Every structure is written in C-alpha cells, then in structure tokens.
Amino acid sequence: MKYKIIGQTVPAVECELACGESMFTQSGGMIWHTDGITMSTESCSFGRIFTGESVFMTNYTARRRGTIAFGATVPGSIVPVDVSRSSVICQKGAFLCAEQTVNLKVEFTKRFYTGLFGGEGFILQRIYGRRGMAFLEVDGDAIERNLSDGEVIKVSNGNVVAFDTSVKYEIEAVRGIKNTLFSGEGFYLARLVGPGRVIIQTQNFNDFSNKIISKIPSDK
C-alpha cells in the first residue's frame, strides 16, 4: 500500500491499493474512492461502546488497483504510524484508518486517578500489529517528541494524541492555588516518562468548540 497526505487546512490521506488490499476506518472516515473498491461494514468489539465512538468499522477492499482517501474531521494534521516500529496508545477519536494487518482495541487506563483527571479519560485505544500502517487524526499541528529513558514531558489535558507503549502515562496535579485557579491549565497535567515517542496536538478542538459556544448569544 502506497499513501500520500494531501491538503493543508483539513487534510486527507490518499492510499493506493493493489488488488486484494484492504483498509478499515471508523464510520464516516472515507471521502472518496475510485471504481473497483468494495465496502462492507462490521460491528466491533463491545468495548468500543465505552469510547463514545461508533461501534461499527467499515472495510474497503480493492478488487483491482485503485485509490481511496480518508479525511480529517476538523482543521489539523494526519500522522502516519508504522506498527512494525512500535505499538501506540492513542486518545479516543484520534484513530482515522489503517490497513487490515493492523489491530485496534480498547485500552483502559490502569489507575482510577489517571482516568478521572487525565483529560483523555478512562478509555484509550491501542494500535498494534506485526506490520502495517495506521493513520491518526490530530487537532492543529502534530508535534513529536522522542523521550530518552527517564525523560519527562508534561502536557496540558486533551493535547496528548498518542504515545509508544514504552512511555509511562500518569497525571500530576498543578501546584499552587493561584496556578490552579488562574493559569487556565486546569488542576492536572499529563506526565509522560520516556523512553519512547509522544505525539502532541497544538489544539484541543473540544476546548476550541467550547469557546465558540460560550460566545453564542443566549435567548434568555
């Protein structure tokens, strides 16, 4: 499978499939495809109910060579992930599409404290497999940091997109009452400890949409 990322404001990944090659995406992820690519929709594991996402995945299989494109839903970026290099943990909503050789399953945060205050919630997703490409949807620009063993980076809630399974993910309280109340960063930060890669998004679309909603005039 060959691919290229096209577009800038709201990008897409266009994949060239040989005969017999197949990809899957969440419901609504496909933008266009050439003739000769067939579609089938299947229900997923029961655990996806808890992610707040669709419990269905749609498969696209090439009956002859063709192209298919999957697009982001908000202004941002698309990040390719080679699962033969490393399995990754991503926040719910980050997964866009993948080859059929890639596996996707629900990953529950191990600590109640982390799940309650982590911004990404209790439910994450693990992307893994022996080989194959997956693609993640990122709000804004994608920033990658490769952490050395024991290196720490602290990230605002909701801005962690994904991280290698070798990275330790936990939550740290913001110190100081003034910092907590007036910094705008909330009560907690995500604390990620290397080794491994961390993918960060420069925008949290949920925060952005809340700001838009707050400026809509009320009828009251």
Side-chain angles (χ1 to χ4, degrees):
M1 188 271 292
K2 298 179 180 179
Y3 73 89
K4 60 181 177 180
I5 296 173
I6 56 178
Q8 296 179 348
T9 304
V10 186
V13 55
E14 186 178 59
C15 304
E16 181 181 337
L17 304 182
C19 181
E21 287 188 321
S22 180
M23 297 189 69
F24 68 97
T25 184
Q26 305 185 109
S27 178
M30 191 276 295
I31 302 178
W32 72 80
H33 65 73
T34 58
D35 196 24
I37 294 178
T38 61
M39 176 180 66
S40 63
T41 302
E42 300 176 356
S43 60
C44 304
S45 63
F46 180 75
R48 281 185 61 83
I49 294 175
F50 300 104
T51 68
E53 299 178 19
S54 172
V55 296
F56 296 96
M57 286 286 182
T58 304
N59 303 299
Y60 294 91
T61 303
R63 299 308 176 190
R64 58 178 179 270
R65 182 173 294 277
T67 59
I68 184 168
F70 304 92
T73 55
V74 300
S77 313
I78 293 176
V79 176
V81 174
D82 184 351
V83 297
S84 66
R85 171 189 168 185
S86 174
S87 299
V88 299
I89 306 296
C90 68
Q91 66 169 341
K92 61 182 182 180
F95 174 78
L96 176 59
C97 61
E99 294 184 88
Q100 288 290 351
T101 53
V102 175
N103 298 305
L104 176 69
K105 73 174 183 179
V106 172
E107 182 85 4
F108 293 91
T109 52
K110 295 180 180 179
R111 297 182 181 180
F112 176 83
Y113 183 80
T114 301
L116 186 61
F117 299 111
E120 283 67 45
F122 291 103
I123 312 298
L124 302 171
Q125 296 185 96
R126 179 186 291 262
I127 301 173
Y128 64 102
R130 290 187 176 181
R131 62 180 179 86
M133 296 297 301
F135 299 90
L136 304 181
E137 179 179 354
V138 176
D139 299 346
D141 293 320
I143 308 298
E144 293 191 19
R145 290 287 184 266
N146 288 299
L147 305 181
S148 58
D149 191 10
E151 183 179 0
V152 175
I153 188 170
K154 301 177 184 180
V155 184
S156 182
N157 287 341
N159 286 85
V160 177
V161 176
F163 48 91
D164 290 343
T165 52
S166 58
V167 173
K168 183 179 180 182
Y169 169 64
E170 54 192 26
I171 293 302
E172 180 178 287
V174 174
R175 296 183 180 181
I177 187 64
K178 290 184 178 179
N179 291 335
T180 300
L181 296 178
F182 304 116
S183 70
E185 299 300 334
F187 292 90
Y188 300 92
L189 296 174
R191 185 175 188 269
L192 300 118
V193 185
R197 176 178 57 157
V198 176
I199 303 173
I200 302 167
Q201 59 189 16
T202 58
Q203 182 186 67
N204 181 346
F205 192 77
N206 287 333
D207 287 348
F208 177 74
S209 59
N210 288 336
K211 289 180 180 179
I212 297 297
I213 292 172
S214 70
K215 297 183 182 300
I216 297 176
S218 173
D219 293 333
K220 296 182 180 179

